[in-house]
Amino acid sequence: MKKLKLNELNRLSISEFKSAKKIPVILILENIRSLSNIGAMFRTADAFKIEAIHLVGITATPPHREIQKTALGATESVAWTHFVSIDESIDHIRNKGYQIFSIEQTSESISSEKIGSIEADGVGIILGHEVNGVEQSTIEKSDSCIEIPQFGTKHSLNVGVCGSIIMYEFWKKFG
């Protein structure tokens, strides 16, 4: 067994990626303050061919050196739009006929293990602020909430880790 070199990985060029079929998932980053988390979400969105990212509220936008450090160029391949309010983002996604899922622990959250059984042609997945999570008013606008089961002493995962797990689960459904 040998480690593959970059040129042996057969990755798409940016232009090939932009024209490639994407999975019908739009990632919505609501008030994410960490530039590293934003960059990580771009990189993961590229890995799983996510349709687009919506950057909402205080979430920083490219180009930014700190986002680029973790995105490693994915800000050039992944389509993104900035929205001042979550309502604008949700309206845009609903107009596509997509369902909205907040990634949050609520009294009625469904487990991420059940993503494969969700009946939807496309989804918007909302990740919230690193400390406060998804706003309650945003949860109320969502079709449902999804949470990742956790078995240790902490009650949350880093938003970048959480987003990566959720994008992978939706890639398994739509990919």
Side-chain angles (χ1 to χ4, degrees):
M1 180 179 332
K2 79 172 183 88
K3 181 177 175 178
L4 295 175
K5 294 181 175 141
L6 291 178
N7 64 345
E8 296 175 307
L9 294 175
N10 298 319
R11 297 293 188 234
L12 301 174
S13 68
I14 290 175
S15 62
E16 289 169 329
F17 181 91
K18 287 183 176 187
S19 64
K21 185 176 190 267
K22 310 294 186 300
I23 65 169
V25 172
I26 297 176
L27 181 65
I28 305 143
L29 303 180
E30 179 188 38
N31 297 320
I32 303 296
R33 63 185 178 161
S34 165
L35 302 172
S36 295
N37 282 330
I38 297 164
M41 292 296 83
F42 269 96
R43 193 165 166 190
T44 305
D46 177 281
F48 296 119
K49 288 191 192 172
I50 301 300
E51 181 178 324
I53 295 178
H54 287 185
L55 306 168
V56 178
I58 67 165
T59 306
T61 61
H64 195 289
R65 187 173 68 89
E66 292 300 311
I67 293 172
Q68 187 57 27
K69 280 169 57 175
T70 49
L72 293 178
T75 57
E76 302 301 317
S77 58
V78 177
W80 62 271
T81 306
H82 179 262
F83 292 90
V84 173
S85 76
I86 193 70
D87 291 338
E88 293 173 302
S89 173
I90 289 173
D91 289 347
H92 181 269
I93 293 166
R94 287 216 193 276
N95 286 337
K96 292 176 72 70
Y98 288 12
Q99 290 183 40
I100 306 292
F101 293 91
S102 286
I103 311 306
E104 190 59 82
Q105 298 163 334
T106 71
S107 58
E108 298 177 29
S109 295
I110 61 173
S111 173
S112 60
E113 298 164 317
K114 296 184 179 176
I115 285 175
S117 64
I118 292 172
E119 302 254 347
D121 294 329
V123 298
I125 53 177
I126 302 172
L127 294 167
H129 186 272
E130 289 89 341
V131 175
N132 302 319
V134 177
E135 298 286 336
Q136 180 62 41
S137 59
T138 302
I139 289 170
E140 292 165 5
K141 295 170 187 152
S142 301
D143 294 303
S144 188
C145 290
I146 297 170
E147 72 176 280
I148 299 168
Q150 296 171 56
F151 308 101
T153 62
K154 301 300 173 198
H155 15 272
S156 67
L157 294 167
N158 170 278
V159 71
V161 171
C162 178
S164 296
I165 291 168
I166 295 297
M167 282 188 271
Y168 176 66
E169 290 296 329
F170 276 107
W171 176 83
K172 290 192 311 188
K173 175 180 179 53
F174 292 120

